[in-house]
Amino acid sequence: MIIAIDGPAGSGKSTIAKLLAKELGFTYIDTGAMYRAVALKIKRLGIDPDNKEAVINVLKETDIRLKNNEEIKVFLDGEDVSSEIRTEEIGKIASKIARYTEVRKILVEMQRKIGEEAKNAVIEGRDTGTVIFPNADIKIFMTAKPEVRAERRFKELKEKGLNVSYDEILKEIVERDKLDTTRKDSPLKPAKDAIIIDTSDKTLKDVFKEILSIVRSRLSTK
Ligand code: DC
């Protein structure tokens, strides 16, 4: 069974996807982490994300792996970069390089392979129900107002001890939404058969319960 969860930054999709995978014993596939790992490499090498050719050449020489053990980890050329990729700056570079069809082709192929090998997986991102697994058994599109999403990110980063500004985060979220929804290749949008959940006025605990009950009823008819 493949469960595809898509949505914009800060919609709560990562939290839900991880909880769901844990509860069901499914493999968790974070597709955004793969774009972020490439973005980190680009940054470290000092490459301009607008230099499409250079970005593609780097990706061709890059090894990205997701590991699902006790903790979920992301490896870039063998190095654990799980924490380092979680900054707004890397998110923004990831969004820029995600515009390139060649980049998407390479990463989508890797993501399909991971999903097929896992058999039972919760896969989250922007195009998991529209492009990677258009035949996914369950498709969820999570969303929330930009202000609510910015508030969640703000709290999360503050809890990690980072000195951040709410206004700056909101601005970045709006910018990233624009990049992700307006790109030509695989823009962020709900699949036609996706269940859309607006989490603005809900707790993530309630959203988790709601999605779990959808999954359980689908599993019982399978
Ligand atoms: O979900 P995230 O914030 O970790 O994703 C970072 C960026 O990567 C996002 O702004 C756009 C891109 N992305 C994508 O284009 N397609 C995906 N399936 C996942 C992420």
Side-chain angles (χ1 to χ4, degrees):
M1 173 180 260
I2 298 277
I3 303 172
I5 304 188
D6 291 308
S11 58
K13 64 183 188 308
S14 296
T15 309
I16 296 294
K18 274 185 220 153
L19 284 173
L20 210 55
K22 199 165 178 211
E23 176 75 25
L24 301 166
F26 282 20
T27 299
Y28 165 65
I29 307 170
D30 178 358
T31 60
M34 299 172 78
Y35 289 91
R36 282 173 181 267
V38 183
L40 178 64
K41 187 159 174 181
I42 297 295
K43 188 195 158 206
R44 283 179 175 173
L45 293 172
I47 289 169
D48 179 356
D50 288 327
N51 184 346
K52 184 172 151 185
E53 294 310 314
V55 171
I56 295 164
N57 285 336
V58 167
L59 177 56
K60 284 183 180 158
E61 301 296 318
T62 301
D63 180 60
I64 303 165
R65 281 167 212 263
L66 302 178
K67 296 216 170 123
N68 261 271
N69 293 327
E70 279 297 290
E71 275 180 273
I72 292 153
K73 293 201 178 282
V74 187
F75 288 84
L76 169 66
D77 297 324
E79 176 193 349
D80 181 358
V81 292
S82 315
S83 313
E84 219 180 317
I85 58 168
R86 297 291 160 202
T87 64
E88 289 303 314
E89 187 197 4
I90 295 296
K92 201 159 150 187
I93 302 174
S95 185
K96 282 189 173 175
I97 62 165
R99 289 173 297 168
Y100 305 138
T101 295
E102 292 82 349
V103 167
R104 305 202 68 82
K105 256 196 195 153
I106 296 172
L107 292 182
V108 165
E109 201 174 303
M110 285 186 204
Q111 291 152 359
R112 278 198 189 126
K113 206 166 154 236
I114 301 172
E116 278 156 14
E117 277 170 9
K119 298 205 171 60
N120 289 319
V122 180
I123 175 161
E124 64 132 307
R126 301 289 186 292
D127 60 344
T128 73
T130 49
V131 177
I132 310 176
F133 286 108
N135 296 323
D137 301 86
I138 299 177
K139 298 179 189 178
I140 309 276
F141 190 89
M142 286 177 59
T143 184
K145 293 189 196 96
E147 293 75 14
V148 174
R149 292 188 276 127
E151 182 66 36
R152 286 183 190 151
R153 262 296 142 82
F154 177 68
K155 278 195 187 143
E156 191 184 309
L157 295 173
K158 275 211 106 168
E159 272 163 24
K160 283 188 187 158
L162 297 168
N163 186 16
V164 284
S165 126
Y166 168 82
D167 290 338
E168 192 56 34
I169 292 176
L170 178 60
K171 196 173 133 238
E172 280 172 354
I173 278 192
V174 171
E175 266 173 33
R176 198 130 71 87
D177 280 359
K178 191 164 172 235
L179 265 173
D180 292 348
T181 53
T182 59
R183 66 169 177 242
K184 287 202 187 75
D185 189 347
S186 323
L188 167 68
K189 63 166 187 214
K192 283 201 185 76
D193 49 350
I195 299 162
I196 299 175
I197 301 180
D198 187 330
T199 67
S200 302
D201 302 313
K202 293 178 182 170
T203 64
L204 286 180
K205 203 172 158 195
D206 287 340
V207 176
F208 176 60
K209 277 194 207 150
E210 190 178 337
I211 297 179
L212 191 60
S213 91
I214 296 170
V215 174
R216 292 232 192 273
S217 78
R218 206 65 69 87
L219 276 171
S220 67
T221 58
K222 249 185 127 58

